[in-house]
Amino acid sequence: MNNAVFEKAKKIIAVLEQNGFEAYMIGGFPRDLLLQKESGDIDLTTNALPEETKRCFSGYRVVETGLRHGTVTVLFEGTPFEITTYRVDSASADHRHPDSVRFSRSLRDDAARRDFTVNAIAYHPDRGFLDFFGGQEDLQNRIIRCIGSPEDRFEEDALRILRALRFSSVLNFEIEPETEKALCKKKELLRGVSRERVFAELKKLLCGEGVERVLLRYTEILSVVLPQLAPMKGFDQKSPYHCFDLLAHTARATARIAPAPRLRLAALLHDIGKPDCFSLDENGIGHFYGHYEKSAELAEKLLSSLKADRETKERVVLLVRHHDSPIEPREAVVKRRLRKLGGEAFFELLALMRADTLALAPKYHGRTEELDAVEAMAREILAREDCFSLKSLAVNGDDLLALGYRGKEIGAALEALLDAVTENRAPNEKEALLRYLDDRT
Ligand code: ATP
Ligand code: MG
C-alpha cells in the first residue's frame, strides 16, 4: 500500500464530511496499520446512503458494485475505492447471505456486523482508532475472536468459519477458545458455502505464515472442504525417510515452499494419493508405488470441484504428477526436462521437490544439494540460450515437408533432431541436422 492511496482515502472522507456525512476506514486497513503490515486496499464505511454517496461523487466514475449491500465503488484519482453504507445484517436462512440488509446511521452497528474483533476497528485521520469490541487488545494478544456469539455468527455466514482459519494462518494468530469451539461445532455448515468462495479463502489460508499449525490443528474442519486430509492424519508411512505422519509431512512441505497459491496447493496435494497406494514389503517397509499418478488424479478432481481456474489446476496437477521423478544433474537430462515442462514449471517443480525433501527426516535434508546443482545447471542452460525447444531448432516442419516427409513423420523427425541437439550429438545448424537425418535412414 503506498502513501498515495492513503492520501486519496483521506480526501474521500473529507468529501463526504463536506456534504454533512461521516466516514471511516475500516476492516483490513486499520488492522494492518496497527500491525505495521502491508495492506491490500482501503475499505471505507459511511452513514451516507448509497444514493447520497453517489451524489457526493457525481463528478467521478461510480460503479454500483453491490447496491443491495450498500456498496458503491468510486474511481478516485485513478484508484477504485469501495464505499459501503453502515448496515446491520440480520439472520440468514442459507448461512451465507443475510436475509435483509438494513442501513444504519451508526458506526457501532456497522462494526458489530463484522466478523472478528480485529476486523472491526475503524480509523479516522483526525480522530484516530475507534474500537468498540476490543479489537486492539486482541491484536496485541494475537487472537482471532468473533464479535458476539460465535455460534450465531457462523450460523449467519458459514464462510466465516474458513475466514477464521484464514486469518489465523495469515496473521499467525491463535483462535480464542469460544470461537474455536464454535468452529468445530458448526464446521458442517461449510458444505453450503459456494466452492468459489471456499477456494478463494483456501488459497489465502495456504499462503499464510501459520499454515502448518492451521493444517495440523484444524484438520477436521478443513476436511469438510478437503476430504482427503482426514485419512492423512496419523498415517504412519513406515519408511525410514519419514519421521512424521503423512499430514505432518504435507503441512511441513506446504510451509516450506514460497507463498504463491499454486505452489502451496501443489505442496498440499503432492501426496494425497498415498493412503490409496500403500503397501508393506516383507521387511515391514512402506511403499507407495504410483502415488504421484494417484495424487495427480485426486488433485485434478479436487481442484475441479473447487472450481479452480484452468491454469492453476493444470499447473498444480503437472507439478504433483512429476514431483517424484528425480532429475539427475546432467545436461542432457536437465535439457530434456526443461523442454518437456517449460522453464517456469521446471523451476516450480524444483521448488516442490526441495520443500518435499525438507519435510523428510532430517538426515535426508542434504538431498537438496542435488536440486541446487540441477537448478544452477538449468539457469546456465537458459542463460546460454541452448536449444531446448522445437521453436529454436534450426530445422522446421516446412523444411521436412520439402524433403518429402509427411504427417506424423514430421513430428517424429523433429523430436529426434531435438534429442540429438540437446544431447550434443548434432549441432543446431540446418545443414548438419538434415545430414543427420539422412545418416539415420
Ligand atoms: P484482506 O483484504 O487483507 O484479505 P480484509 O480484512 O480486508 O483482509 P476482506 O475479505 O477484504 O478482508 O473484508 C473486508 C472487511 O469486511 C473485513 O475486515 C470484515 O470487517 C468485513 N467482512 C468481510 N467478509 C465478512 C464476512 N463474511 N462476515 C462479516 N464481516 C466480513
Ligand atoms: Mg480487504
Side-chain angles (χ1 to χ4, degrees):
M1 161 87 48
N2 56 41
N3 226 15
V5 177
F6 181 57
E7 290 305 318
K8 288 179 200 175
K10 288 209 294 207
K11 283 195 212 166
I12 292 181
I13 292 176
V15 170
L16 284 159
E17 287 177 345
Q18 279 150 21
N19 283 276
F21 300 106
E22 59 177 47
Y24 294 86
M25 305 180 199
I26 196 159
F29 178 74
R31 181 197 66 217
D32 294 341
L33 190 63
L34 286 164
L35 289 171
Q36 298 180 303
K37 259 181 74 155
E38 268 296 295
S39 202
D41 42 16
I42 301 183
D43 294 317
L44 294 155
T45 188
T46 179
N47 63 349
L49 294 170
E51 289 303 327
E52 295 171 329
T53 304
K54 276 169 67 181
R55 242 174 283 137
C56 293
F57 295 94
S58 54
Y60 295 84
R61 242 191 80 200
V62 177
V63 188
E64 300 179 353
T65 337
L67 263 196
R68 216 179 78 80
H69 293 108
T71 303
V72 297
T73 302
V74 175
L75 191 67
F76 192 86
E77 298 175 0
T79 308
F81 286 90
E82 288 200 345
I83 307 175
T84 305
T85 304
Y86 297 162
R87 51 177 233 237
V88 192
D89 295 345
S90 58
S92 129
D94 64 358
H95 309 300
R96 178 64 199 97
H97 299 98
D99 286 342
S100 67
V101 172
R102 256 194 315 123
F103 295 131
S104 161
R105 294 285 183 182
S106 130
L107 174 62
R108 192 181 195 284
D109 280 348
D110 190 73
R113 64 129 178 131
R114 292 174 184 271
D115 45 10
F116 308 113
T117 60
V118 295
N119 283 349
I121 304 169
Y123 177 77
H124 187 279
D126 305 327
R127 272 160 261 161
F129 294 98
L130 278 92
D131 177 13
F132 302 98
F133 301 100
Q136 291 184 87
E137 194 184 333
D138 285 342
L139 270 184
Q140 205 113 65
N141 297 324
R142 306 176 66 80
I143 282 174
I144 300 297
R145 180 200 310 268
C146 280
I147 295 172
S149 144
E151 288 192 22
D152 292 352
R153 302 313 306 281
F154 296 144
E155 289 267 354
E156 273 169 28
D157 178 0
L159 184 70
R160 291 176 188 150
I161 297 171
L162 214 46
R163 286 176 60 86
L165 304 191
R166 186 254 278 199
F167 286 112
S168 175
S169 172
V170 171
L171 303 174
N172 213 356
F173 282 16
E174 295 282 345
I175 299 176
E176 175 274 328
E178 286 301 313
T179 300
E180 187 175 64
K181 235 188 278 165
L183 281 175
C184 299
K185 189 158 169 202
K186 299 292 174 187
K187 64 177 193 289
E188 294 298 325
L189 293 177
L190 271 176
R191 292 190 200 283
V193 179
S194 93
R195 300 297 93 182
E196 289 88 346
R197 305 197 79 122
V198 164
F199 189 52
E201 287 299 327
L202 264 183
K203 283 190 285 187
K204 292 184 183 170
L205 183 162
L206 288 173
C207 291
E209 237 179 81
V211 63
E212 186 173 347
R213 172 181 51 81
V214 168
L215 286 173
L216 293 176
R217 179 142 172 175
Y218 301 109
T219 318
E220 279 75 23
I221 298 167
L222 287 167
S223 293
V224 175
V225 289
L226 297 169
Q228 290 83 0
L229 287 187
M232 296 168 85
K233 186 168 183 158
F235 192 103
D236 181 348
Q237 306 193 59
K238 305 256 187 237
S239 153
Y241 293 117
H242 291 283
C243 58
F244 305 107
D245 73 27
L246 185 53
L247 184 68
H249 164 74
T250 296
R252 285 180 86 85
T254 306
R256 280 159 185 73
I257 200 163
R262 67 188 188 198
L263 294 180
R264 294 247 156 147
L265 280 165
L268 178 76
L269 304 177
H270 80 282
D271 275 349
I272 49 170
K274 270 191 168 178
D276 290 339
C277 300
F278 182 66
S279 63
L280 263 185
D281 67 19
E282 61 274 21
N283 301 317
I285 304 284
H287 298 280
F288 300 92
Y289 299 112
H291 79 271
Y292 42 88
E293 210 34 77
K294 185 74 194 172
S295 298
E297 185 192 307
L298 291 176
E300 154 106 58
K301 269 197 205 138
L302 181 70
L303 291 169
S304 297
S305 76
L306 290 172
K307 310 256 174 22
D309 57 285
R310 209 187 66 192
E311 203 187 328
T312 302
K313 184 167 74 178
E314 286 179 357
R315 179 58 56 86
V316 170
V317 170
L318 179 89
L319 295 173
V320 170
R321 179 169 288 125
H322 289 94
H323 84 268
D324 204 37
S325 334
I327 308 171
E328 269 177 82
R330 284 200 296 124
E331 288 243 343
V333 173
V334 173
K335 282 183 188 171
R336 206 176 300 140
R337 279 292 190 102
L338 269 171
R339 220 169 82 205
K340 190 161 168 193
L341 299 172
E344 190 183 60
F346 179 89
F347 290 110
E348 289 183 358
L349 182 63
L350 287 182
L352 178 59
M353 290 172 151
R354 196 173 279 118
D356 191 10
T357 304
L358 292 174
L360 297 176
K363 70 172 170 180
Y364 296 100
H365 291 187
R367 292 183 168 197
T368 55
E369 279 169 27
E370 183 159 306
L371 295 169
D372 295 341
V374 169
E375 171 146 6
M377 190 172 279
R379 299 225 179 263
E380 250 174 55
I381 291 167
L382 290 178
R384 286 201 310 261
E385 296 184 335
D386 263 10
C387 165
F388 66 87
S389 80
L390 282 180
K391 256 201 324 247
S392 45
L393 194 66
V395 167
N396 63 28
D398 289 339
D399 299 326
L400 297 181
L401 261 179
L403 286 174
Y405 283 77
R406 289 294 175 264
K408 281 188 180 158
E409 295 167 2
I410 298 179
L414 288 173
E415 280 296 325
L417 289 177
L418 201 50
D419 273 343
V421 172
T422 51
E423 284 156 27
N424 296 322
R425 281 180 277 120
N428 190 23
E429 289 157 17
K430 193 164 164 177
E431 294 293 303
L433 289 177
L434 296 180
R435 223 178 306 120
Y436 177 88
L437 275 183
D438 259 355
D439 292 347
R440 222 174 48 129
T441 45

